[in-house]
């Protein structure tokens, strides 16, 4: 595992020792950095909620080294789960399945189900393999804040001596796609890099949480989630041009996130952030960009709406949440 970016074997050993001692460890995954604890240790799991400031009813995601460990944690592995695991694991897909007896309530938020994924990041794989058991990990940010996609972001969120394994920038940059397999028809609870269309190629029709109208217990579905501290306004291109002209005329300090070039001359009060054209690149950079713009001291971040295509679903979802309290 020497090829692993950042974390050396000695770092992995230290992290495993910390997990066995009931301590928390932050580690990289291909989606975002996670704040990990031994998933069989209720006291360690409670430390996650305390450190994040997260309500204890909000369940965590269980990370495993391989799908072969599933029977230790879930009551049944439906054929559809096997199909998805074979196709998408290791990778940015989380499956919600009935939990096995003895799985701690602190992991599941007291629910009868457990959310599981097998991450592909080599540091996450090295850690899980060396630890041998399951690691519960939410995103390594304080509750309601933007998820970390660099080790540096984790240290910003938790400056007080948390062990953080280095793994470079996360390749996906947005949290995993969550699919519930509890009911007769599979349902996406949180959009991610793996789209509904990709899932449907292998398992047939998949509904979305929106379509079902139900509100599952997913913290990411509360309105204020993923928000930077600076107000975010999400605008169609024509509205953006107007809002921009007004703000510049007033001398208001603003930042703009757009896939296009600046239509106005750069001024000292305007920061124009050009975003990538392709959804995968945009998603990879979204959270790091929001963090950076949040530090500029601007009064607002104006974000140009992204295209309607399905590959933009996860980005649109996160942008809507970031903007929800302000527009
Ligand atoms: O990409 C990811 O999934 C990252 C990395 C670290 O793996 N983790 C992550 O964790 O995003 P967190 O805690 O920020 O989000 C976990 C989501 C929450 O929305 C939670 O409600 C949902 O998973 N979840 C967990 N268990 C569930 C369950 N039994 N039923 C429905 N949703 C569940
Ligand atoms: Mg989170």
């Amino acid at each position: 595992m020497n090829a692993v970016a950042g974390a050396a074997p000695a770092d992995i050993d230290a992290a495993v020792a910390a997990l066995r001692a009931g301590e928390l460890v932050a580690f990289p995954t291909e989606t975002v950095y996670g704040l990990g604890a031994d998933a069989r240790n209720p006291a360690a799991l409670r430390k996650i909620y305390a450190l994040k400031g997260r309500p204890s009813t909000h369940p965590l995601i269980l990370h495993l080294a391989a799908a072969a460990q599933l029977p230790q944690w879930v009551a049944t592995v439906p054929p559809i789960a096997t199909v998805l695991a074979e196709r998408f694991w290791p990778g940015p897909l989380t499956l919600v399945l009935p939990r096995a007896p003895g799985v701690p309530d602190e992991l599941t938020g007291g629910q009868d189900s457990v959310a599981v994924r097998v991450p592909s990041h080599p540091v996450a794989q090295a850690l899980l393999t060396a630890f041998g058991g399951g690691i519960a990990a939410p995103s390594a940010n304080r509750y309601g804040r933007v998820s970390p996609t660099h080790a540096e972001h984790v240290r910003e969120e938790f400056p007080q001596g948390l062990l953080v394994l280095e793994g470079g920038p996360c390749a996906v940059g947005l949290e995993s796609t969550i699919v519930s397999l509890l009911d007769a028809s599979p349902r996406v609870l949180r959009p991610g890099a793996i789209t509904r269309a990709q899932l449907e190629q292998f398992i047939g029709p998949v509904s979305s949480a929106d379509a079902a109208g139900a509100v599952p217990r997913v913290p990411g579905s509360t309105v204020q989630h993923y928000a930077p501290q600076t107000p975010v306004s999400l605008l169609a291109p024509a509205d953006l041009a107007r809002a921009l002209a007004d703000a510049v005329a007033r001398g208001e300090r603003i930042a703009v996130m757009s896939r296009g070039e600046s239509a106005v001359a750069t001024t000292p009060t305007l920061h124009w952030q050009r975003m990538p054209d392709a959804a995968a690149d945009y998603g990879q950079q979204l959270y790091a960009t929001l963090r950076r713009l949040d530090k500029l001291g601007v009064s607002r971040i104006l974000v140009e709406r992204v295209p309607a295509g399905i590959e933009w679903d996860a980005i649109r979802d996160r942008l809507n949440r970031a903007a929800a309290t302000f527009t």
Side-chain angles (χ1 to χ4, degrees), residues 52 54 138-139 141 145 147 175 190 225-226:
K52 275 188 68 109
R54 172 170 172 137
S139 51
N141 53 280
R145 299 293 315 281
S147 296
E175 301 85 349
R190 178 175 71 183
H225 221 64
Y226 311 111

Side-chain angles (χ1 to χ4, degrees), residues 184-277:
S185 87
R187 194 152 55 100
V188 171
L189 302 182
R190 178 175 71 183
I194 294 172
T195 64
R196 208 145 56 88
Q198 282 176 283
L199 299 170
E200 286 179 339
Q201 284 180 1
F202 299 94
I203 58 171
V206 176
S207 64
S208 70
D210 298 349
V215 180
R217 196 183 290 158
V218 178
S221 65
T222 61
V223 160
Q224 258 184 317
H225 221 64
Y226 311 111
Q229 278 156 344
T230 311
V232 172
S233 303
L234 200 48
L235 299 162
D239 298 331
L240 174 65
R242 205 171 316 122
L244 181 57
D246 289 350
V248 168
R250 279 197 306 272
E252 184 187 344
R253 291 185 51 131
I254 52 164
V256 175
M257 274 170 64
S258 163
R259 290 160 70 238
E261 275 180 54
S262 175
V264 297
T266 304
T267 76
T269 56
L270 168 65
H271 179 94
W272 188 275
Q273 181 64 51
R274 180 98 190 248
M275 294 301 287
D277 254 335

Side-chain angles (χ1 to χ4, degrees), residues 11-303:
D11 300 326
I12 300 289
D13 291 348
V16 168
L19 290 171
R20 295 211 169 114
E23 300 300 330
L24 304 184
V25 169
F27 64 98
T29 82
E30 68 281 17
T31 59
V32 300
Y33 277 72
L35 181 63
D38 177 354
R40 290 279 183 199
N41 182 337
L45 295 171
R46 284 194 290 271
K47 289 182 186 173
I48 292 181
Y49 293 93
L51 189 62
K52 275 188 68 109
R54 172 170 172 137
S56 61
T57 50
H58 287 187
L60 307 173
I61 291 179
L62 171 68
H63 296 68
L64 300 176
Q69 296 169 338
L70 265 185
Q72 300 167 33
W73 299 89
V74 309
T76 52
V77 183
I80 208 170
T82 306
V83 170
L84 291 178
E86 278 172 3
R87 179 62 187 80
F88 294 104
W89 282 353
L93 178 68
T94 296
L95 303 179
V96 177
L97 293 162
R99 73 160 158 177
V103 171
D105 280 340
E106 287 82 356
L107 176 62
T108 65
Q111 305 195 72
D112 290 336
S113 56
V114 60
V116 195
R117 84 179 190 95
V118 174
S120 64
H121 192 294
V123 174
Q125 273 291 325
L127 178 66
L128 285 160
T129 303
F131 180 59
I135 299 177
S139 51
N141 53 280
R142 284 175 291 127
Y143 182 62
R145 299 293 315 281
V146 177
S147 296
T149 55
H150 292 70
E152 187 53 35
H153 299 164
V154 182
R155 289 189 283 267
E156 272 171 29
E157 292 283 319
F158 305 112
Q160 57 287 69
L162 173 71
L163 199 165
V164 183
L165 289 178
E166 183 60 60
C170 300
V172 173
L174 298 174
E175 301 85 349
S176 59
T177 305
I178 302 180
V179 184
S180 170
L181 301 179
L182 297 177
D183 308 316
S185 87
R187 194 152 55 100
V188 171
L189 302 182
R190 178 175 71 183
I194 294 172
T195 64
R196 208 145 56 88
Q198 282 176 283
L199 299 170
E200 286 179 339
Q201 284 180 1
F202 299 94
I203 58 171
V206 176
S207 64
S208 70
D210 298 349
V215 180
R217 196 183 290 158
V218 178
S221 65
T222 61
V223 160
Q224 258 184 317
H225 221 64
Y226 311 111
Q229 278 156 344
T230 311
V232 172
S233 303
L234 200 48
L235 299 162
D239 298 331
L240 174 65
R242 205 171 316 122
L244 181 57
D246 289 350
V248 168
R250 279 197 306 272
E252 184 187 344
R253 291 185 51 131
I254 52 164
V256 175
M257 274 170 64
S258 163
R259 290 160 70 238
E261 275 180 54
S262 175
V264 297
T266 304
T267 76
T269 56
L270 168 65
H271 179 94
W272 188 275
Q273 181 64 51
R274 180 98 190 248
M275 294 301 287
D277 254 335
D281 299 328
Y282 192 117
Q284 198 266 330
Q285 292 175 31
L286 175 60
Y287 286 152
T289 302
L290 286 174
R291 274 179 188 271
R292 193 154 24 76
L293 299 185
D294 211 12
K295 290 182 189 146
L296 293 178
V298 297
S299 60
R300 279 187 300 157
I301 303 171
L302 307 182
V303 182

